[in-house]
Amino acid sequence: MTLDMYKEPKRMVEDISALGLRHVGYGIPTDLFGPFVTACVQVIRTLTDDDKAEDAFRWSLNLISRILTRVINEGSTI
């Protein structure tokens, strides 16, 4: 998903928005996204020494997290 953010950003925003709406139904609290991103980045850090790859992964995962949070916050008020 993070690589696809670079390849097909428009499609990914649509897919992530749909995923966010499903998360509304699941009752997932948005305050869990930050720790999830941090944990994922820590795992990637153990798998590569490439700082640019790690930064790109972090950036795209943070963007995904922000999109999900926005959709969940807006979707839960409908």
Side-chain angles (χ1 to χ4, degrees):
M1 191 177 252
T2 58
L3 185 58
D4 289 336
M5 284 299 293
Y6 293 97
K7 291 181 177 181
E8 300 180 64
K10 184 176 179 180
R11 182 182 65 82
M12 287 308 301
V13 169
E14 293 170 358
D15 290 351
I16 293 166
S17 295
L19 178 65
L21 291 175
R22 285 196 302 273
H23 276 68
V24 170
Y26 302 148
I28 305 295
T30 56
D31 58 341
L32 296 179
F33 286 117
F36 177 76
V37 170
T38 300
C40 290
V41 171
Q42 287 176 349
V43 169
I44 292 298
R45 192 175 294 143
T46 66
L47 300 174
T48 184
D49 292 328
D50 187 345
D51 291 337
K52 287 184 181 181
E54 181 187 327
D55 288 342
F57 180 77
R58 179 185 300 108
W59 180 87
S60 61
L61 203 55
N62 275 322
L63 179 59
I64 291 168
S65 173
R66 288 193 305 268
I67 293 169
L68 284 171
T69 299
R70 177 183 51 88
V71 170
I72 290 169
N73 289 337
E74 290 176 3
S76 63
T77 60
I78 294 176

